[in-house]
Amino acid sequence: MATAVDVTVAGTLPAFAPPRAVHVAAVTAGNALEFYDFLTYSFFAAQIGRTFFPSTDASASLLASLATFGAGFLMRPVGALVIGRIGDRAGRKPAMLLSFTLMGVAMLGLALTPSFRTIGVAAPVLAILFRLVQGFALGGEIGPSTAYLIEAAPLHRRGLYVSFQAMSQDGSILVSGLVGLALSSILPDAALDAWGWRLAFLLGVAIVPFGLVLRRQLVETLPATSPPDAQPSPGAPPLALIAVLALIMLAGGTTVSYVQDYLTTYASATLHMPTRIGFLATVTVGLFGVIFDPIGGWLSDRFGRKPMMIGPWLVLLVVTIPGFWLVSHYRTAEALVGMTMAMVIAAAISTSSVLVAVTESLPARIRCGALGLIYAFAISIFGGSTQFTVTWLIRVTSNPLAPAWYMTGAVVVALGAMLLLPESAPGRLASRRAP
């Protein structure tokens, strides 16, 4: 059985210069589009529901819209398996081109689909179809793109390079928050229903042609011949256990991320704070994530993956429940932004380390497919359910701290997996082997 940490892959790859900033942007653009689309759909779920699922019951229309959004999560494991295998067999580059093209087609298709009043039942059918295509594409995006960054980066800069995945995600959160705030402030409700929500999606689609052009210029990192698996470190767990630990860690990270993305809705729907103040939480998540994601990646290259995974999550364990209590008690912009900042900084520093540790721990020959599947299941199960679950918990307990308890539970479980996962940073492993 193939086992643990692959630390020699970089030496088996074709020699090429590290990718330039534009190439890193091309690789991480898919992750950026994923989160831009997620939040854009969330912000305008009511308008999308009225467009494709009109009903005399507003809540029924909204639920149909959210169910359509959730349908995309069902296709992520399928996309991870299919496109991930392409990435492991034909190359990282063709897999990334395929996933990005499908993403653009799906987003454009949803934005241009006529309303129910125009084409009848074909409208919701097309909307569901495009969400399924997009879920398939997104499922196949994370494996090839992250594998590419790991393999293209110098050994002592892997954490920094992979941090650009998280940085692109938080950058898109920032942009989507600003776009949502701008459109909801400028346009009247009738315009938002008619075409405003479509404009938000088209803004995301606009970067697709540029991303495809840049991705076509990338140098392939998949070796021409499959290298033998690296020798595992003494006492390293088998691949199956690595996969389980990775799933738990990514599930925890996904839960934390989606609770943070929920803060805008939480502030307005649960705490009844003004919508414009609620949007400050989304902007804060994006802004401080962009700043601290690369810092976390750089620190993991310097001090190792495990210290930079575990330390910040211990901070999360300490600040989450008191932070939610402060916000629910005072219900001010200062409390909301302060609590969000504390959580985001801790989570951002850890996120890059988690993703690079998981990717490094998987053998190169199965890296795209395995990482894609693990990530897809984590996102599908926990990303697709977190916001629904915390909303339900608030309703049944009447306790505004319910999201904090749910998030804290996820942090505790993920911390256990982090403690068990072996250190994978090449520099730390080399220092341990040195006489």
Side-chain angles (χ1 to χ4, degrees):
M1 177 182 293
T3 53
V5 181
D6 174 12
V7 296
T8 63
V9 172
T12 68
L13 298 174
F16 59 91
R20 293 176 295 155
V22 291
H23 294 153
V24 172
V27 174
T28 58
N31 204 38
L33 269 187
E34 172 185 355
F35 271 78
Y36 178 85
D37 168 78
F38 168 76
L39 282 178
T40 299
Y41 197 108
S42 298
F43 292 156
F44 298 106
Q47 288 81 8
I48 293 171
R50 288 191 288 269
T51 299
F52 298 123
F53 309 96
S55 173
T56 55
D57 183 350
S59 62
S61 177
L62 177 58
L63 285 172
S65 176
L66 293 175
T68 299
F69 173 69
F73 285 98
L74 300 176
M75 291 298 293
R76 291 199 180 205
V78 180
L81 180 62
V82 174
I83 300 179
R85 285 178 66 85
I86 293 173
D88 286 327
R89 294 188 175 189
R92 317 313 193 197
K93 180 177 172 180
M96 287 191 291
L97 286 170
L98 174 60
S99 64
F100 203 59
T101 299
L102 290 175
M103 253 189 277
V105 168
M107 287 186 71
L108 181 63
L110 182 66
L112 298 182
T113 297
S115 68
F116 184 92
R117 291 181 178 85
T118 303
I119 62 173
V121 72
V125 170
L126 286 173
I128 293 171
L129 175 63
F130 286 127
R131 294 306 300 181
L132 292 175
V133 171
Q134 190 167 43
F136 179 87
L138 293 174
E141 170 66 24
I142 191 69
S145 60
T146 307
Y148 188 96
L149 291 172
I150 282 281
E151 295 160 358
L155 282 178
H156 64 292
R157 288 289 181 265
R158 283 179 169 181
L160 178 62
Y161 275 60
V162 172
S163 73
F164 294 131
Q165 287 280 58
M167 184 179 177
S168 69
Q169 168 184 316
D170 287 318
S172 67
I173 292 173
L174 175 61
V175 171
S176 62
L178 292 173
V179 168
L181 179 60
L183 289 177
S184 61
S185 300
I186 295 171
L187 298 178
D189 291 344
L192 280 177
D193 278 2
W195 55 268
W197 69 267
R198 298 178 188 271
L199 179 60
F201 280 95
L202 290 173
L203 289 173
V205 173
I207 75 166
V208 172
F210 301 100
L212 287 173
V213 169
L214 292 175
R215 283 191 171 191
R216 290 181 64 86
Q217 300 173 12
L218 296 174
V219 178
E220 181 58 63
T221 62
L222 179 69
T225 58
S226 296
D229 290 331
Q231 291 298 315
S233 303
L239 182 59
L241 182 55
I242 291 286
V244 171
L245 296 177
L247 178 61
I248 294 172
M249 290 162 54
L250 290 174
T254 296
T255 300
V256 170
S257 176
Y258 279 66
V259 169
Q260 291 174 351
D261 294 338
Y262 179 73
L263 289 176
T264 292
T265 301
Y266 173 77
S268 58
T270 301
L271 304 183
H272 307 294
M273 299 168 68
T275 301
R276 59 182 177 79
I277 293 179
F279 269 109
L280 290 176
T282 298
V283 174
T284 302
V285 169
L287 177 61
F288 283 86
V290 166
I291 295 171
F292 285 92
D293 286 324
I295 292 175
W298 176 76
L299 288 172
S300 77
D301 286 326
R302 185 173 178 84
F303 300 107
R305 314 301 181 213
K306 292 192 70 168
M308 301 318 302
M309 289 190 296
I310 295 170
W313 277 56
L314 290 174
V315 174
L316 272 180
L317 203 58
V318 172
V319 304
T320 298
I321 293 174
F324 269 87
W325 181 87
L326 286 172
V327 174
S328 64
H329 182 74
Y330 291 103
R331 305 192 182 197
T332 63
E334 293 79 7
L336 178 64
V337 171
M339 182 266 284
T340 305
M341 283 176 52
M343 292 199 308
V344 170
I345 291 172
I349 291 175
S350 177
T351 295
S352 300
S353 301
V354 169
L355 187 55
V356 71
V358 169
T359 310
E360 283 178 326
S361 299
L362 297 170
R365 63 182 176 81
I366 62 167
R367 181 170 285 150
C368 283
L371 175 62
L373 274 174
I374 294 167
Y375 186 86
F377 277 113
I379 288 286
S380 297
I381 298 171
F382 294 92
S385 66
T386 291
Q387 298 194 2
F388 176 87
T389 302
V390 296
T391 302
W392 177 80
L393 287 173
I394 292 170
R395 181 176 179 180
V396 298
T397 64
S398 300
N399 185 351
L401 298 186
W405 287 106
Y406 185 77
M407 180 171 153
T408 298
V411 169
V412 169
V413 174
L415 272 171
M418 292 174 185
L419 291 169
L420 294 174
L421 189 75
E423 178 61 68
S424 62
R428 302 288 290 182
L429 294 175
S431 66
R432 290 179 183 178
R433 289 194 294 266

